[in-house]
Amino acid sequence: MTAPHAVAHECLAVLATPPFAERGMLGPSNDTPREVERAPAPPSGASVRLRALAALSGSLTDALHPKEAVDLVEQQALSALGATSAVVVTLGTFPPPLRSVLGAPVMSVGTTLHVVHAIGLPAEVRAALHELPLDAPVPFAEVARTGAPLFLPTEAALRTYPDWGAAMTAAGAGSAAVVPVWANGELRGVLGLAWPEPRTFDEDERAFVLTLGVMCAQAIMRAHLRDTERHAREAAELANRSKAHFVATISHELRTPMNAILGYTALIGDGIYGAVSALQQEHLGRVRASGQHLLGLIEELLGYARIEAGEAVVRPESVGLIAVLEQSLVLVRPLAELKGLRLRVEGPAEPVELYTDPHKLRQILVNLLANAVKFTDQGEVVVLLRVEGRDAAVRLVIEVTDTGCGIPPEVQAHVFDPFWQADPASTHSDGSSGLGLSVARQLARLLGGDVVVARSAPGEGSTFVVSLPAQYPGQPERRAAP
């Protein structure tokens, strides 16, 4: 079986020798005197073929369907060589099925011939070529078995394959070329061309047809892999949408009964249904705290699902930064006091006015502050505010620094991944969902900014930085892309 690199070397060798070199295809010679007002000669056959290869190479870089790529190769072959019919067959079904080798998808090669595309080929000849075994007495099967090209210059040469040759001559063919289609070192199929008259296949024409076979293989592979990638991406997007829809649905279903539990617990605790002892009040307080915690996890899941599904809507309005920050601190301060931590805010004395979504900004701050308090056992959490830039480029920068356990450098890239935990066992102790930082970053990006880890080291605490435009750059009521 002829190796594909041998075909490429043969093509290059032909291009470097007559008639290509004699026709000036390798550039003008310095020894040739310049002729003035000489009429341009018509392009030679070699020039036409080289131009066809250049045009084909450029066209095959476009995003094509596999059969469109094959059609393009066949059209160029017919145009450059004056052939009347062209056909591409592959080994096995088309597109070929994928098998896994060491975790990577690899195209499987079959043992029968299948017609991918044909131009100008009689229907009976095309039907005869479809699903042929490799031992069939036709030139396509022989090329598929040996990997060697066949050039049949006369009707007599065609009739060396009796049934196929008779069908071709009856359809008006006088000569044919059948060449292998290589891809990634394996023979994937066969390209066939036919002419109505006998034909002498010189070296440069043979090299051109062989090159078409190589380009056909590359075009099929690229187009098929692009097609496979598109289908995989669509399947992944559908799976993500289904997951987000499920999470949103189950969150809604959980939130409704949980609100009822909290409501009736509050009524009982307030003595609406009768006197409540101190011990009962203590138990009701634990029920209430656990219910509030569970409701918070449900809200996190629901917020995450909205963002993933592209249903998060930005509703910007004029708001003061300090007001939003105070609302955030009110929610986090009880947990900080319970752990004996100090919350401290540093920033400009003058008011900072923003045009953004205050609810999403508050959620960002609550998530970052809660994360800082959660992983800090002693010391303080400091919020540093500053404004950078001028005019339309003004940005708000918020730093949240804690004196907690810190994050090892090797895992800092994962802290914004949904549901990620540095220590999965910690979920049972701190009750977190692993969504707080992920949701904070996604909301910040929705508002035109971002959240990053500015500094962190084990035992030295962490600093997270939020950067947002002071003026929301998007359109109000605009939904986020999924």
Side-chain angles (χ1 to χ4, degrees):
M1 186 177 286
T2 306
H5 63 271
V7 173
H9 283 308
E10 178 182 345
C11 298
L12 291 173
V14 170
L15 293 175
T17 56
F20 285 103
E22 293 174 2
R23 292 171 183 163
M25 300 308 296
L26 301 181
S29 169
N30 294 330
D31 298 330
T32 304
R34 182 179 178 183
E35 297 185 14
V36 180
E37 297 184 357
R38 181 179 179 181
S44 65
S47 175
V48 170
R49 288 189 284 272
L50 280 179
R51 290 176 184 174
L53 286 180
L56 181 59
S57 178
S59 299
L60 291 179
T61 60
D62 298 333
L64 300 173
H65 184 273
K67 290 190 178 181
E68 293 175 335
V70 173
D71 176 68
L72 193 59
V73 172
E74 291 175 344
Q75 293 284 5
Q76 286 290 356
L78 297 182
S79 173
L81 295 171
T84 54
S85 68
V87 61
V88 173
V89 299
T90 56
L91 296 178
T93 57
F94 186 86
L98 295 180
R99 55 188 173 89
S100 180
V101 175
L102 298 178
V106 177
M107 292 184 182
S108 299
V109 179
T111 57
T112 56
L113 300 177
H114 290 255
V115 176
V116 175
H117 194 271
I119 298 176
L121 193 69
E124 61 273 15
V125 177
R126 175 172 179 156
L129 290 176
H130 195 60
E131 294 192 5
L132 275 179
L134 292 185
D135 58 355
V138 297
F140 291 87
E142 181 176 328
V143 171
R145 289 194 307 271
T146 65
L150 288 174
F151 294 93
L152 309 172
T154 63
E155 286 190 14
L158 296 178
R159 291 183 181 277
T160 57
Y161 303 90
D163 294 338
W164 175 83
M168 289 297 291
T169 54
S175 58
V178 185
V179 299
V181 171
W182 293 93
N184 291 346
E186 293 187 16
L187 194 143
R188 300 289 181 178
V190 181
L191 167 65
L193 303 169
W195 290 263
E197 68 283 327
R199 191 175 188 86
T200 300
F201 296 99
D202 57 26
E203 285 190 48
D204 63 306
E205 190 163 273
R206 291 178 182 232
F208 177 76
V209 177
L210 289 168
T211 303
L212 282 180
V214 174
M215 296 183 73
C216 182
Q218 294 171 346
I220 291 175
M221 289 285 288
R222 280 198 301 267
H224 176 64
L225 291 175
R226 189 181 293 115
D227 217 32
T228 302
E229 179 187 357
R230 179 176 60 83
H231 286 302
R233 184 172 60 252
E234 291 174 352
E237 290 172 352
L238 177 61
N240 277 334
R241 287 195 297 270
S242 299
K243 178 185 68 176
H245 177 71
F246 169 77
V247 171
T249 301
I250 198 67
S251 298
H252 277 295
E253 295 297 325
L254 290 173
R255 185 170 59 173
T256 300
M258 183 52 58
N259 280 326
I261 291 171
L262 290 173
Y264 280 108
T265 301
L267 290 175
I268 295 173
D270 291 340
I272 300 298
Y273 302 109
V276 180
S277 67
L279 181 60
Q280 289 172 332
Q281 282 286 9
E282 182 181 344
H283 291 167
L284 288 172
R286 291 175 181 173
V287 172
R288 190 180 300 112
S290 296
Q292 291 288 359
H293 175 68
L294 184 55
L295 188 61
L297 294 179
I298 293 171
E299 292 293 344
E300 279 191 357
L301 283 171
L302 192 56
Y304 169 75
R306 289 195 192 101
I307 295 172
E308 285 293 296
E311 296 177 356
V313 180
V314 178
R315 296 183 173 89
E317 60 184 76
S318 297
V319 63
L321 172 60
I322 298 302
V324 177
L325 179 59
E326 282 298 330
Q327 294 169 7
S328 306
L329 291 172
V330 165
L331 297 174
V332 178
R333 189 173 282 114
L335 179 58
E337 291 175 349
L338 188 64
K339 299 182 72 173
L341 303 177
R342 187 161 64 111
L343 292 178
R344 185 159 54 89
V345 178
E346 298 179 2
E350 63 276 8
V352 178
E353 294 298 320
L354 307 173
Y355 180 72
T356 190
D357 189 321
H359 303 289
K360 290 179 173 52
L361 176 57
R362 182 173 65 246
Q363 187 64 56
I364 294 169
L365 293 174
V366 168
N367 287 11
L368 292 178
L369 289 168
N371 183 78
V373 171
K374 184 187 304 177
F375 293 103
T376 302
D377 293 329
Q378 57 183 357
E380 63 179 1
V381 174
V382 179
V383 180
L384 176 62
L385 310 175
R386 67 175 185 271
V387 177
E388 297 180 348
R390 299 182 61 183
D391 300 327
V394 172
R395 296 186 71 81
L396 169 67
V397 178
I398 307 172
E399 294 185 5
V400 178
T401 300
D402 62 64
T403 55
C405 58
I407 307 168
E410 62 271 16
V411 300
Q412 290 182 15
H414 299 288
V415 296
F416 295 104
D417 295 345
F419 305 105
W420 184 84
Q421 297 278 349
D423 177 10
S426 68
T427 303
H428 304 293
S429 60
D430 63 44
S432 64
S433 64
L435 287 174
L437 293 178
S438 175
V439 169
R441 167 171 275 186
Q442 292 184 73
L443 289 176
R445 290 178 174 177
L446 191 60
L447 297 179
D450 203 356
V451 178
V452 299
V453 182
R455 179 192 61 81
S456 187
E460 298 180 9
S462 304
T463 297
F464 286 81
V465 176
V466 186
S467 175
L468 297 172
Q471 299 290 317
Y472 172 64
Q475 295 296 323
E477 300 291 323
R478 185 174 181 178
R479 292 184 181 271

